[in-house]
Amino acid sequence: MAKPVLMTVDDDAEVLRAVERDLRRRYAERYRVMRADSGAAALHALGGLQKRNDSVALLLVDQRMPEMNGVEFLGQAMAIYPDAKRVLLTAYADTDAAIRAINDAKIQHFLMKPWDPPEEHLYPALDDLLEDWWASFRPPFEGARVLGDRWSPHTYAVRDFLARNQIPYRWLDVETADKDAEVRRLWEVVRTETSTLPMVVFPDGSSLADPSTAQLAEKLGLRVKAETAFYDLVIVGGGPAGLAAAVYGASEGLKTVMIEREAPGGQAGMSSRIENYLGFPSGLSGADLARRAVAQARRFGVEILTPQEATAVRVEGPSRTVKLADGNEIGCKALLIATGVSYRKLDLPGAERLQGSGVYYGSAMTEAMSCKGEDVYIIGGANSAGQAAMYFSKYARRVVMLVRGDSLSFSMSQYLIDQIKHTPNIQVETRAQVAEVHGDGRLEAISIRCGDSGQIDKVPAASLFVFIGAAPLTDWLAGVVERDDRGFILTGADLVRDAKRPKGWPLDRDPYMPETSVPGIFAVGDVRHGSVKRVASGVGEGSIAVQFIHQYLSAV
C-alpha cells in the first residue's frame, strides 16, 4: 500500500518550506509529504491522488492565500477527501475566523504561527489527529477501477475481459453515484477529462475511456506479439486442452507459443465451480484452474499471446504458418488446434440488440453481485448451465432454468442435478423455450413458450444467461483440414474411410489419433469431432497429443 499523504498548502514559499521540513522530520517514515503553493494547485493534486486511489490523511492549510483562502479550499477539498483531517494555519489576527471555520469548514484544529518549537506546538496536535484517522482508515483497493453503466455492452465487455484475464479490478456503477460516495467522487474527478464511459482508472492514475481489448492488453502488459518468428509448436486456443498441451509440450523441450483470442481458460475458465475434476475433492472454479495452468505453462517457458486471434493457416512443405488478426505471422513445425466451441447465439427478436445489456452468453460471473435480489433466467440444461445456476443462486432472489428437453438427466451430471434439486431458489422449467426478448436499451422482459401447451407468457427479467449449442470456431481452417458438416475437425480414424486415407495424405501411415487431414496439424478438445465435452477429457487429449507430436517431429 502507498503511504498516506500529508498535504500542506501555503502561498508563502518560506513558510511552505518550513512546514514541509517539519512534517518530513517527524512523519516521512510513515507518510508521503506533499506541498502546493495555492488552493487551485492543491485541488488539482488531490484530483490526481483520487484517480490513483491514494489515501490522504491530513490537510494543513494556511488561511491567508490570494484567490482562494484556506477555509474555501478545505470546503472544496472535503468533497474529494472527506475523511482527511483538516487543520488551518492562522496568524493571531485570524483567530476569530479560524474558530468560525471549525463549524463552516468542519476543520478539526487550527494552529497559530509561529509554531516553534514543533515538538510543543505542532506535533502533539497532529499526532492526535493522525491517530484518530488511522482508527477509522480502511486501506483502498489497489487494482484497476472500472467506472460505467451496468447496462452498457462496452462496460460489460471491459469487465468480462479483466475478469477472464484475472486482472484485479473494482466495479463502480455510475447509477449508484447518488448513494455511493466513492463512485460520486471519482466520477466528479474523471468527467472533467471526458464524459465517455466506461472509464478504466489504473493504479498509477492514468485512465482509458471506452478502451478496446487491445488497448487494455497493452496497458496491462499482456503479450500480444510473439518473441520469435518460428516455433516447434504453435497452439491455437487456450482452454484446458490447449493449456495441457502447452504444459506438456514445453516441459518436454518444445519451444511453444499459445494463441488465445480472449483469455486463457476458455469456456471452462468461466465455470463458477467444477466439482468432478480429479484431485480436487472440494471442487475448484474455472478461473482457479486457468490460473494454475497458466502459471505452470509460463514456468516451463510457454509464450501466451492474448488477446490474439488466428485467422488463417498456410502449409509450406514441413512448415505450418499461422496468420494473426494483426497481420503478423508465426511459423512452426507442428500446429495444434484447441479453439473449443462457442455458445450458439439466440436467433430471436431483440437478442442481438440486447447482448451485453441483460442478455449474456456463458457464465458472466461479473454480473452476479448486480443480480442480487433479482430473478435470473438461464437457458440450457448441460453442466455449464447447472454450475451457473448454483453460482447465481447465492445472489439472486430466484434462478429459473429454462430447459428444452424433458429433464436435466440427459445432459447434466448427477451431482449437479442433486444440488439443484436441494437449492430452494432454483426453479427448473422443462419443455420451455424463450420466444422473444424485450427491452429498450436493457433487458426488461422475456417471452417463454410452454412446449406442452404452446402458450406464451411474458415475464419481467433483467438478466438472461444463455448456454445452448456448441459451434466450433473453425471457419478460418476451411479448405485446409477436413471438417464434418457442423464444422468440427475430423482426426485420426474418422479420416480413414473404406480403408482409404484422406485425399492428398502424403505419408505411408494413417493419421495419428489427434492428427487432422494435414500431417503436422493436430486437433484436441471440444473442437474435435466426437470429443467428450468435459474439462478432464480436454486436458487428457491435450496431454496425449504431445506424444504424437513428438512422433511426427521425429520423422520430419
Side-chain angles (χ1 to χ4, degrees), residues 61-65 68-72 88-90 94 97 101:
V61 185
D62 185 52
Q63 168 61 11
R64 288 194 177 186
M65 294 188 295
M68 183 187 300
N69 64 37
V71 172
E72 292 170 342
L88 199 66
L89 191 61
T90 68
D94 297 325

Side-chain angles (χ1 to χ4, degrees), residues 26-27 109 117-130:
R26 176 82 164 193
Y27 302 110
H109 198 78
E119 289 76 11
E120 293 182 18
H121 302 301
L122 179 66
Y123 299 149
L126 299 190
D127 286 348
D128 286 344
L129 290 172
L130 292 172

Side-chain angles (χ1 to χ4, degrees), residues 267-462:
Q267 281 193 16
M270 301 169 67
S271 296
S272 55
R273 204 74 186 163
I274 303 169
E275 297 191 56
N276 58 355
Y277 191 71
L278 184 65
F280 292 88
S282 299
L284 78 166
S285 70
D288 282 342
L289 179 63
R291 175 180 54 79
R292 293 166 184 259
V294 167
Q296 197 171 15
R298 285 180 171 149
R299 175 184 162 222
F300 289 119
V302 177
E303 288 181 43
I304 299 177
L305 310 185
T306 181
Q308 186 59 272
E309 185 173 7
T311 58
V313 62
R314 187 173 68 254
V315 178
E316 298 173 321
S319 298
R320 286 84 184 93
T321 301
V322 178
K323 184 176 181 180
L324 304 178
D326 61 6
N328 289 316
E329 293 186 338
I330 301 176
C332 60
K333 299 177 182 178
L335 172 63
L336 182 74
I337 310 300
T339 48
V341 295
S342 63
Y343 292 114
R344 183 162 51 85
K345 298 296 180 70
L346 289 177
D347 186 16
L348 297 174
E352 183 176 357
R353 176 171 48 85
L354 295 176
Q355 183 175 340
S357 301
V359 176
Y360 308 101
Y361 292 89
S363 183
M365 291 187 289
T366 54
E367 299 301 305
M369 289 299 295
S370 300
C371 295
K372 191 172 183 179
E374 299 179 353
D375 289 349
V376 168
Y377 288 84
I378 292 176
I379 302 177
N383 276 11
S384 53
Q387 290 162 353
M390 290 301 302
Y391 183 73
F392 283 108
S393 69
K394 301 173 185 177
Y395 304 93
R397 177 178 58 192
R398 184 175 62 130
V399 177
V400 182
M401 297 187 68
L402 303 174
V403 183
R404 184 172 58 178
D406 296 326
S407 71
L408 294 173
S409 59
F410 177 73
S411 55
M412 187 178 292
S413 298
Q414 189 61 45
Y415 82 91
L416 268 175
I417 296 175
D418 294 339
Q419 289 180 357
I420 289 170
K421 187 182 299 183
H422 292 96
T423 304
N425 65 332
I426 298 181
Q427 175 183 334
V428 181
E429 297 286 347
T430 58
R431 294 181 57 79
Q433 292 180 272
V434 175
E436 188 174 354
V437 298
H438 312 271
D440 182 15
R442 52 165 287 190
L443 180 66
E444 297 172 359
I446 60 174
S447 292
I448 304 174
R449 178 186 291 112
C450 175
D452 294 323
S453 65
Q455 179 179 336
I456 296 179
D457 294 318
K458 185 176 179 180
V459 298

Side-chain angles (χ1 to χ4, degrees), residues 229-251:
F230 197 85
Y231 293 81
D232 295 324
L233 174 61
V234 169
I235 300 170
V236 181
L243 283 166
V247 168
Y248 276 83
S251 68

Side-chain angles (χ1 to χ4, degrees), residues 52-245:
R52 292 194 295 273
N53 214 21
D54 287 343
S55 302
V56 175
L58 178 79
L59 298 169
L60 178 57
V61 185
D62 185 52
Q63 168 61 11
R64 288 194 177 186
M65 294 188 295
E67 299 180 5
M68 183 187 300
N69 64 37
V71 172
E72 292 170 342
F73 164 77
L74 290 172
Q76 295 187 44
M78 190 164 53
I80 305 174
Y81 280 98
D83 298 325
K85 296 302 180 181
R86 295 173 291 279
V87 179
L88 199 66
L89 191 61
T90 68
Y92 179 79
D94 297 325
T95 302
D96 291 341
I99 294 173
R100 289 195 300 271
I102 292 176
N103 294 323
D104 298 340
K106 295 183 173 59
I107 66 170
Q108 280 91 17
H109 198 78
F110 69 92
L111 294 171
M112 301 288 293
K113 299 178 185 178
W115 58 88
D116 287 328
E119 289 76 11
E120 293 182 18
H121 302 301
L122 179 66
Y123 299 149
L126 299 190
D127 286 348
D128 286 344
L129 290 172
L130 292 172
E131 186 177 340
D132 288 345
W133 182 83
W134 277 108
S136 59
F137 172 65
R138 298 294 178 269
F141 177 72
E142 294 186 341
R145 288 171 291 166
V146 180
L147 186 68
D149 177 1
R150 174 187 174 186
W151 305 111
S152 161
H154 290 173
T155 299
Y156 167 71
V158 166
R159 294 167 59 205
D160 189 58
F161 176 82
L162 294 174
R164 295 190 62 190
N165 281 281
Q166 302 189 31
I167 305 298
Y169 78 94
R170 186 168 183 178
W171 158 234
L172 302 174
D173 188 350
V174 291
E175 289 188 346
T176 67
D178 58 335
K179 298 176 289 186
D180 190 320
E182 180 184 1
V183 177
R184 183 171 60 254
R185 289 194 296 268
L186 182 60
W187 179 224
E188 288 174 351
V189 169
V190 302
R191 69 181 174 186
T192 61
E193 303 172 7
T194 179
S195 59
T196 303
L197 295 177
M199 169 79 76
V200 183
V201 183
F202 300 95
D204 64 0
S206 63
S207 59
L208 290 173
D210 195 16
S212 65
T213 54
Q215 289 174 313
L216 283 173
E218 181 180 4
K219 176 63 181 178
L220 295 167
L222 299 180
R223 178 177 291 180
V224 295
K225 295 187 183 298
E227 286 187 355
T228 62
F230 197 85
Y231 293 81
D232 295 324
L233 174 61
V234 169
I235 300 170
V236 181
L243 283 166

